[in-house]
Amino acid sequence: MKKLKISIAFVFVSTIIMAQSGVTITKIKELSNSDSKRLETTFKDIHQNPELPFMEIRTAAIVAKELKSLGFTVMTEIGKTGVVGILKNGEGPIVMYRADMDCNSVKETTGLPYASNNIVKNADGIDVPVMHACGHDVHVTWMLGIAKNMIALKKDWKGTLIMVGQPAEEIGEGADAMAAEMYKKGVPVPNYLLGMHTAPVAVGMYLNMSGDRMAGADQLDVTFNGIGGHGSTPQEAKDPIVMAANAILQYQTIISRNIDPQRATVLTVGAISAGIDNNVIPSAATLKLNLRWFSDKDRTILLDGIKRINEGIAVSNGLPKELYPTINMKQYVTPLKNDKDLVDRINPVLEKVAGPGKNLQFPPVMGSEDFPLLVKDYPKVAYDYFLVGIANQEVFQKANKEGKFFPFFNHNGDFKVDLSAIPFGVTMGTAALVEAFKK
């Protein structure tokens, strides 16, 4: 009974506090819940029709159509397939909200009736299975629900709202591509930037803290050039596969012997591409690397170490300068560092939505996000990017009893968004935006 009284008091106080600002959490929840069936239909449609980075034509069309119908001024094909919706609602802050739209090259194994069974050609022309294994389908759905709520609440906030449907987050290029175009085309520079991401924790939980939250990242291809030949006469060739294998082992010493063990860094070789036939030594071998780091100093150590090892291998194999290994830098994403003042403003409102004790205090993760690159040229823009639970409550609790904290992981074929996460995320995002518009 005591616990019940505390809960009732908490809801009552929360409602009173929000009422003083012109809108109650209860009203936001009612708006979100009343729209849940429509949003479920949208979510299932996007989930069943996933699109790879810079191929989000269908998804972008859905975003553009929905925002136009709500009265937003809409711009399309920003950064190839990006969408921007702008709504001016009097004098006040300029607040940007971002949702990413692309999917993963992962085969879905959820068994859902609306599961993706699609096979598409990726950027290299290879047929791959695709699914939304990172929740970008619900990110888009949340944004569309939030946009509708903000229209319904127009009397309760003033300023300019910018909704961004961003392509190609998974390859770390979409935010950069949009930032290079949208401000030149008249999109106002925001005072605040907000966004949400799925987390494989129970619906009702969330993660929002200030400071470093996600690592910086680089993706690069290293190509070892050699001299091809017959497998029976290796002395007549310069074998790039052996060079690449040597490099893989040496790369691991960059972190273990050059970076402070208490500073988190990761170097992963995710793919090797070389040769076709059993009895042919190829002329080149390519390694696909992924780096994670939190400081520019550590990033420099990683990149310099890779270059030194590459050149050392070339020298030891007697290669001429023109055959030294080459590096193709494909992605660069800065660490994600939430603004303390903005987080301190947003968190009390999120707590009013979710209740006390639901903000999980996790350390920074080695995963990366290109979200901050939307405002990379405007360092004074404060941003807050928080995670929202999307796992079924019972599934999450079952995993906990089995000694696992997460029931599944992002980028896995079993990744599943519980439908109850749709109105919860819409409520969280709407409450955060209303708060951000306060002067």
Side-chain angles (χ1 to χ4, degrees), residues 54-69:
F54 290 130
M55 301 181 191
E56 311 92 333
I57 296 172
R58 186 179 185 276
T59 308
I62 292 172
V63 173
K65 181 180 178 181
E66 288 291 326
L67 293 180
K68 282 181 182 177
S69 70

Side-chain angles (χ1 to χ4, degrees), residues 53-54 102 167-174 219 330-333 370:
F54 290 130
D102 55 325
E169 184 278 330
E170 292 294 353
I171 59 173
E173 297 180 14
Q219 291 197 155
K330 299 193 300 184
Q331 172 194 327
Y332 165 64
V333 175
D370 69 352

